[in-house]
Amino acid sequence: MIKFDSKIPSGPLTEKWETYKTGLKLVSPANRKKLDVIVVGTGLAGASAASSLGELGYNVKVFCFQDTPRRAHSVAAQGGTNAAKNYKNDGDSVYRLFLDTIKGGDYRSREANVYRAAEVSNKVIDHYTALGVPFAHDYGGMLDTRSFGGVQVSRTFYAKGQTGQQCLLGSYSSLSRQVEKGTVTMYSRREMIDLVVIDGQARGIIARNLITGELERHSAHTVVLATGGYGTVFYLSTLALGSNPMAAWSAHKKGALFANPSFIQIHPTSVPVLNEYQSKLTLMSESLRNDGRVWVPKAKDDNRHPNEIPEEERDYYLERQYPAYGNLVPRDVGSRAAKERCDAGYGVGDTGLAVYLDFKDAINKQGKAAIKDKYGNLFEMYEKITGIIPYDEPMKIYPAGHYTMGGLWVDYNLMTTIPGLYAIGESNFSDHGANRLGANSLMQCSGDGYFILPYTIADYLADEIATPRIPTDTAEFDKAEKDVKERIDRLVNIKGSETATSFHRRLGKILWDYCGMIRNEEGLLKGSQLLKELEEEFYKELAIPGTGYELNQELEKALRVETFFEIGHLMIQDALNRKESCGAHFREESQTETGETLRIDEEYAYVAAWEYKGPDKKHIMHKEDLNFEFVELKQRSYK
Amino acid sequence: MNITLKIWRQKNANAKGRFVKYNLENVSPEMSFLEMLDFLNEQLIKKGDDPIAFDHDCREGICGACGMYINGRPHGPEKKTTTCELHLRSFEDGSTIVVEPWRSKAFPVIKDLMVDRTALDEIIRSGGYISVNAGSAPEANSIPVDKHSSDKAFDAAECIGCGACAAACKNSSAMLFVAAKVSQLALLPHGKPEAARRVQKMVKKMDDLGFGGCSNTYSCQIDCPKGIDVEFIALMNREFFKAKVCKSKAK
Ligand SMILES: Cc1cc2nc3c(=O)[nH]c(=O)nc-3n(C[C@H](O)[C@H](O)[C@H](O)COP(=O)(O)OP(=O)(O)OC[C@H]3O[C@@H](n4cnc5c(N)ncnc54)[C@H](O)[C@@H]3O)c2cc1C
Ligand code: SF4
Ligand code: FES
């Protein structure tokens, strides 16, 4: 039986972290350099953790599969990062940020973790500013903020539509400084395939050198995963194509519980699918909904040009259904509404899987220049992809997979159920419940890496100072490497006729159709069956040219797709288990009279943490009950 | 539409490369350039051939991973567009498209269209940062940043590290890349204390790594997918000169 304790400290919410922190053990500077830490991932979470651990003097090794750490997927975040600075004097506070996050997550996250994330958010902004991140400033020389994601205060710090890029380049620069100093060793173009556990503790990884194909052994006293999310499970998503859960999944198979795997956020505004070879759905920032109006024609299969459809024949369905919030309803609500209209036959475009996002009224009212000033780069991006100029006609948009709230289960220390293995950033599950608020992920990733992990990891490492460097010529490393080798050989030797990508595309479609925006028991069971059949085909028909021991991008993809099959099964199992609707998880069987999500708190106010039992065995679920000491549970309403 | 491709194939860093011709039928003008390469690769794999290796990740013009010479120009014919943002509608039906990797001494070819750009990381490591440890930063608004400098620093900071500037340059100079980082940090008050040290270290590193000097042809700006302005090279030169003067005065 797996040990399972969230280690949430007692005491008042506002004092938990400060009190807890002072009770944590420390490692003296002289001992730090004797301690090795592996950090996998160089996104905001990994780069911030690796650089701050380097600054403290630990001996850090950091890994990423891109050619340089600066390209981690965090680079693509657009809108901004939240902090409770209350610079706008509009009533914001750490407590309000905490409350918005808990509510936004539809009461399926931990109070203590969320409060802490809000608490350290201000230090994140201070640090990035000092690192030279060019956040927007006003004429008085002070930082500017904007309101984002339907909250009532203005707490989002931003650098035009490239906040993720600017924050990541900031943390990449501090990481680079540590590499130059020699405290951090950078391993780019390496993919972690497996975790090595020795006597119950995480002690290293097996990584594949993506240039030579060699398998490498790396050991450490502790391992940190900062490997991001798995929204790419749907194949088409707003994520970078390489994003994948293999590292987290390998840890899961070695004993780390995986929490709420089916909680995936579908973002309502992405460029829709335009051709059958499409590889990517580009996000059109949420901020567009501040001025854009969403509509479909009132008549089914109306294929007139949008500009020719008169006002009275348009259905502004969000404004109609949600008069209070209108076009600014939360992401999950907006996504489902778009799907509902398209499924009912009102969708537009060649595929019928799109709705209009129209700026005509905003342009008439505010002028083209004002709209250009606000959204110029997004309009340009849209034009590059579609060839359509959104100043002249409405954008077409459709929901797309975007963010995984689910991830490795961690305790208050951010440690998984494998002692010595930590998970931070999007790879863990802890802060966003069943739905993430806009601009809260960058905040959490950076907070985890800069201001939480460095404290909690010391508490663990303090007991490791007498442990000598971990050798890699042990039976455990031998076994892990052998397993990886067999896994690679198995895939390479299938020698079928279908590419990994074509399997990924089909697998993604199954999960999108049956475990996507709207779920029900029948569909989930069907999806599970289809997935099983496709998986069998995968092991018969996969084609990988070349060998495992050279640069082989097809093998890289196949290993990831193999993981998507496994995680896909667990997503379905998790979605089947949770018979309530909450946040992004919409079970048709559990809705209000007006078709909104209906939580069942008496039965489901828990985190579903799944334990892996073996290749052909069913996962076992463990419950972590969510005790709400400080907030009162309410049903969300946007009507 | 139908197109003919002439693509540089090179097995590995030491192998001799050559152009290989591929005819592609029924591609859609809606396809992105990389989706077209995916499509070609699917066909190659099904035939049992080696697919074309190339770097990419975000496919929305922000990570800087993609990059190839397309008809003799880094990132192809469109202005301010990365390879992944380029679509086939920019080419005519029936056209022949020549595709090569970055050609620069500092970016050795790894395979096909994939090159090694670690040199750019090394330049940043040599000084492209502000030396502040986590925990020591002052309150963010305690140092005002005038809006003009902040906006300008942002313009410089937009560089995605793709390397097109050096690939476009006949001297293989990485000046635009280096200037962008030096300027971003020199423009902000937080970056000033280290400005002199930074510019000297970064320029020296660039020279040591085998990048050439700048002879002001500005092909870098023309082919930079983010439109980084060559005015930053002038700004860097001023910073460099200032640093030199200070140093000799100190002596
Ligand atoms: C288009 C888009 C826009 C967004 N905009 C916002 C926004 O405005 N505000 C906000 O708060 N959030 C936003 N998000 C969400 C946010 O960007 C991500 O949740 C966050 O950046 C994740 O950071 P991370 O550090 O956890 O992981 P990532 O940035 O995904 O980094 C993962 C790292 O792990 C490495 N890695 C993964 N697996 C392996 C392996 N097996 N071996 C070796 N290395 C591995 C990768 O190389 C990479 O370095 C957006 C997301 C998308 C898709
Ligand atoms: S300056 Fe432009 S061309 Fe050079 S690396 Fe940066 S983005 Fe690429
Ligand atoms: S793939 Fe990221 S910029 Fe082109």
Side-chain angles (χ1 to χ4, degrees):
Chain A
M1 184 67 189
I2 265 172
K3 268 219 307 246
F4 192 62
D5 174 8
S6 61
K7 303 212 174 84
I8 295 172
S10 57
L13 189 60
T14 51
E15 288 165 27
K16 280 183 199 286
W17 175 234
E18 279 304 318
T19 318
Y20 185 73
K21 227 167 47 171
T22 36
L24 291 172
K25 282 173 262 174
L26 300 173
V27 179
S28 76
N31 280 328
R32 291 181 203 151
K33 51 178 169 297
K34 294 187 223 152
L35 292 164
D36 300 331
V37 182
I38 284 177
V39 177
V40 188
T42 61
L44 279 185
S48 57
S51 61
S52 34
L53 294 172
E55 287 160 11
L56 287 164
Y58 294 103
N59 183 39
V60 183
K61 299 183 190 183
V62 60
F63 296 79
C64 71
F65 58 69
Q66 291 90 351
D67 65 329
T68 148
R70 67 179 289 157
R71 308 208 201 285
H73 166 61
S74 291
V75 80
Q78 300 175 351
T81 181
N82 284 337
K85 287 279 193 187
N86 192 29
Y87 283 161
K88 286 272 161 80
N89 201 25
D90 55 3
D92 200 11
S93 63
V94 169
Y95 189 78
R96 205 179 284 273
L97 173 52
F98 152 77
L99 206 60
D100 284 342
T101 306
I102 289 274
K103 262 202 225 164
D106 217 0
Y107 307 94
R108 290 295 173 262
S109 46
R110 271 190 208 142
E111 286 180 328
N113 286 57
V114 174
Y115 192 85
R116 178 176 61 184
E119 215 176 337
V120 300
S121 68
N122 290 343
K123 293 190 73 148
V124 169
I125 298 300
D126 297 342
H127 189 53
Y128 280 137
T129 305
L131 283 176
V133 171
F135 285 126
H137 281 78
D138 60 25
Y139 283 103
M142 300 295 136
L143 284 157
D144 194 16
T145 53
R146 63 182 168 203
S147 157
F148 195 72
V151 296
Q152 288 156 307
V153 292
S154 173
R155 64 159 75 103
T156 304
F157 293 79
Y158 66 100
K160 287 206 178 144
Q162 282 129 272
T163 318
Q165 180 200 24
Q166 294 310 321
C167 292
L168 185 68
L169 294 182
S171 48
Y172 159 75
S173 75
S174 49
L175 180 67
S176 300
R177 174 170 156 247
Q178 293 308 309
V179 173
E180 187 75 358
K181 272 194 162 173
T183 58
V184 174
T185 312
M186 183 68 231
Y187 296 88
S188 295
R189 293 203 197 261
R190 300 295 200 295
E191 186 146 25
M192 167 179 168
I193 316 274
D194 209 354
L195 178 76
V196 180
V197 179
I198 301 176
D199 296 332
Q201 284 168 291
R203 292 299 197 192
I205 64 170
I206 304 291
R208 186 166 175 272
N209 179 323
L210 300 181
I211 298 300
T212 62
E214 274 164 284
L215 296 179
E216 301 173 345
R217 302 176 180 199
H218 297 276
S219 67
H221 293 88
T222 173
V223 177
V224 180
L225 299 186
T227 47
Y230 52 92
T232 35
V233 70
F234 294 127
Y235 183 64
L236 288 174
S237 79
T238 61
L239 275 80
L241 266 64
S243 304
N244 78 86
M246 183 159 52
W249 194 254
S250 72
H252 172 57
K253 288 170 100 172
K254 294 261 161 109
L257 299 185
F258 206 101
N260 301 335
S262 72
F263 285 0
I264 298 199
Q265 180 171 78
I266 313 284
H267 199 292
T269 54
S270 114
V271 178
V273 178
L274 299 169
N275 73 74
E276 62 176 311
Y277 288 95
Q278 196 149 327
S279 55
K280 163 83 201 227
L281 296 173
T282 303
L283 182 74
M284 287 287 114
S285 168
E286 180 146 47
S287 59
L288 289 171
R289 285 196 284 148
N290 286 328
D291 285 299
R293 296 179 71 195
V294 178
W295 64 275
V296 291
K298 277 189 179 158
K300 275 190 193 179
D301 305 317
D302 184 341
N303 35 31
R304 280 177 292 173
H305 188 277
N307 291 353
E308 280 161 20
I309 301 180
E311 203 51 35
E312 59 281 5
E313 291 175 45
R314 300 175 173 197
D315 177 15
Y316 293 92
Y317 60 88
L318 288 176
E319 297 169 22
R320 172 170 58 77
Q321 292 172 323
Y322 304 97
Y325 277 70
N327 295 297
L328 293 173
V329 291
R331 293 177 178 177
D332 53 330
V333 177
S335 292
R336 276 194 298 275
K339 177 174 162 55
E340 188 279 325
R341 282 293 81 192
C342 294
D343 289 353
Y346 298 93
V348 299
D350 292 340
T351 56
L353 290 176
V355 299
Y356 291 125
L357 180 62
D358 201 334
F359 296 89
K360 193 185 67 189
D361 290 346
I363 291 172
N364 286 343
K365 240 183 253 151
Q366 305 169 33
K368 191 171 162 180
I371 296 300
K372 191 168 180 179
D373 200 39
K374 284 196 231 178
Y375 310 115
N377 64 334
L378 292 165
F379 277 38
E380 232 174 73
M381 208 152 127
Y382 184 83
E383 189 188 334
K384 267 185 201 162
I385 299 167
T386 62
I388 290 170
I389 302 168
Y391 296 104
D392 302 340
E393 62 179 275
M395 285 184 178
K396 288 192 205 73
I397 50 152
Y398 198 67
H402 182 62
Y403 180 88
T404 38
M405 283 75 71
L408 289 173
W409 184 91
V410 290
D411 63 16
Y412 193 66
N413 293 326
L414 305 177
M415 200 197 278
T416 67
T417 46
I418 299 176
L421 180 72
Y422 293 81
I424 59 174
E426 194 174 339
S427 74
N428 77 22
F429 87 105
S430 74
D431 293 0
H432 309 291
N435 179 46
R436 175 179 67 81
L437 280 190
N440 259 0
S441 175
L442 301 188
M443 167 186 96
Q444 177 228 338
C445 292
S446 318
D448 282 1
Y450 281 125
F451 299 114
I452 300 171
L453 184 81
Y455 294 87
T456 59
I457 208 169
D459 189 60
Y460 177 80
L461 288 171
D463 295 331
E464 290 285 328
I465 51 176
T467 312
R469 293 243 130 86
I470 313 293
T472 56
D473 55 353
T474 62
E476 291 85 354
F477 272 98
D478 289 348
K479 164 103 174 55
E481 186 180 319
K482 185 168 155 275
D483 290 347
V484 169
K485 201 166 171 304
E486 281 172 11
R487 198 177 144 197
I488 290 174
D489 289 343
R490 178 183 180 200
L491 292 176
V492 170
N493 290 328
I494 296 172
K495 303 225 179 291
S497 58
E498 286 270 337
T499 61
T501 302
S502 77
F503 281 107
H504 192 178
R505 210 180 271 131
R506 289 159 70 192
L507 154 117
K509 180 84 172 46
I510 295 173
L511 288 169
W512 180 250
D513 287 345
Y514 299 105
C515 194
M517 268 179 281
I518 296 181
R519 299 148 177 197
N520 60 49
E521 176 143 344
E522 194 192 330
L524 287 164
L525 291 172
K526 174 143 188 229
S528 167
Q529 185 55 34
L530 291 172
L531 197 63
K532 223 180 268 160
E533 287 164 20
L534 188 64
E535 192 174 12
E536 279 165 23
E537 197 183 325
F538 175 78
Y539 286 108
K540 283 193 201 119
E541 288 302 329
L542 176 70
I544 300 177
T547 72
Y549 305 97
E550 59 187 332
L551 189 155
N552 191 335
Q553 292 181 307
E554 288 304 307
L555 171 63
E556 292 166 28
K557 289 183 207 159
L559 284 163
R560 294 169 188 171
V561 174
E562 187 174 44
T563 311
F564 286 128
F565 274 112
E566 297 183 12
I567 208 167
H569 285 300
L570 189 62
M571 278 170 62
I572 292 180
Q573 197 176 342
D574 184 54
L576 271 171
N577 167 69
R578 194 174 285 274
K579 295 189 171 66
E580 66 162 352
S581 296
C582 57
H585 170 66
F586 189 79
R587 278 289 299 259
E588 246 173 348
E589 299 92 331
S590 181
Q591 48 180 304
T592 64
E593 276 167 20
T594 51
E596 304 302 322
T597 46
L598 182 64
R599 285 196 330 267
I600 309 175
D601 293 327
E602 317 74 64
E603 279 181 63
Y604 293 102
Y606 64 76
V607 174
W610 297 90
E611 181 184 354
Y612 179 80
K613 295 304 275 180
D616 299 309
K617 302 212 176 80
K618 278 241 167 256
H619 275 75
I620 291 186
M621 189 190 66
H622 302 270
K623 288 183 191 176
E624 179 200 334
D625 287 321
L626 292 166
N627 301 314
F628 292 93
E629 283 181 71
F630 306 96
V631 299
E632 188 196 337
L633 275 63
K634 291 188 188 141
Q635 288 288 350
R636 299 185 304 168
S637 169
Y638 301 96
K639 292 276 171 190
Chain B
M1 60 195 271
N2 302 327
I3 52 173
T4 304
L5 292 155
K6 279 192 188 158
I7 300 181
W8 184 260
R9 302 299 312 259
Q10 182 173 336
K11 205 112 193 82
N12 55 50
N14 304 318
K16 243 184 103 181
R18 67 192 172 100
F19 281 105
V20 178
K21 200 165 130 185
Y22 302 94
N23 293 316
L24 263 190
E25 282 165 21
N26 292 324
V27 290
S28 142
E30 301 287 332
M31 271 182 176
S32 74
F33 199 82
L34 297 185
E35 283 161 6
M36 180 273 292
L37 289 181
D38 294 342
F39 179 70
L40 171 61
N41 274 345
E42 290 248 338
Q43 299 186 355
L44 294 178
I45 296 162
K46 286 196 170 160
K47 281 198 291 188
D49 291 346
D50 194 22
I52 297 149
F54 60 93
D55 272 316
H56 65 99
D57 200 16
C58 74
R59 296 212 178 185
E60 56 181 63
I62 194 73
C63 75
C66 65
M68 42 193 89
Y69 255 95
I70 300 166
N71 287 343
R73 292 192 55 188
H75 294 299
E78 301 287 342
K79 262 172 101 177
K80 287 183 73 177
T81 301
T82 56
T83 302
C84 61
E85 292 175 297
L86 188 63
H87 282 68
L88 292 191
R89 69 177 89 85
S90 298
F91 300 89
E92 298 207 344
D93 191 6
S95 56
T96 298
I97 308 172
V98 183
V99 192
E100 298 166 80
W102 283 173
R103 303 282 191 198
S104 168
K105 206 171 91 194
F107 301 149
V109 173
I110 294 172
K111 185 179 176 183
D112 300 335
L113 305 173
M114 196 186 253
V115 298
D116 183 350
R117 285 169 289 190
T118 330
L120 299 180
D121 282 331
E122 287 186 40
I123 293 176
I124 298 294
R125 280 172 203 162
S126 72
Y129 45 74
I130 294 174
S131 300
V132 50
N133 284 3
S136 63
E139 206 288 327
N141 265 348
S142 61
I143 306 173
V145 182
D146 82 273
K147 185 168 164 35
H148 177 72
S149 305
S150 152
D151 288 351
K152 228 173 159 125
F154 176 86
D155 291 344
E158 276 197 283
C159 164
I160 57 173
C162 64
C165 45
C169 176
K170 66 176 168 47
N171 309 324
S172 275
S173 171
M175 278 295 244
L176 194 61
F177 170 81
V178 180
K181 187 47 74 183
V182 165
S183 304
Q184 176 204 342
L185 299 180
L187 280 160
L188 295 167
H190 309 81
K192 291 218 186 328
E194 272 173 298
R197 230 167 82 101
R198 176 182 309 117
V199 66
Q200 289 181 315
K201 281 176 139 185
M202 289 179 78
V203 169
K204 175 161 189 319
K205 191 63 168 190
M206 172 176 73
D207 293 343
D208 291 350
L209 287 166
F211 290 102
C214 172
S215 54
N216 302 318
T217 57
Y218 301 150
S219 55
C220 51
Q221 180 182 330
I222 298 166
D223 284 327
C224 170
K226 295 291 137 180
I228 304 291
D229 201 306
V230 287
E231 68 168 329
F232 292 122
I233 296 184
L235 199 149
M236 174 168 89
N237 285 337
R238 281 201 300 279
E239 287 291 320
F240 190 74
F241 186 68
K242 235 168 40 192
K244 256 186 149 165
V245 172
C246 291
K247 208 173 167 186
S248 56
K249 269 193 191 154
K251 272 182 194 159

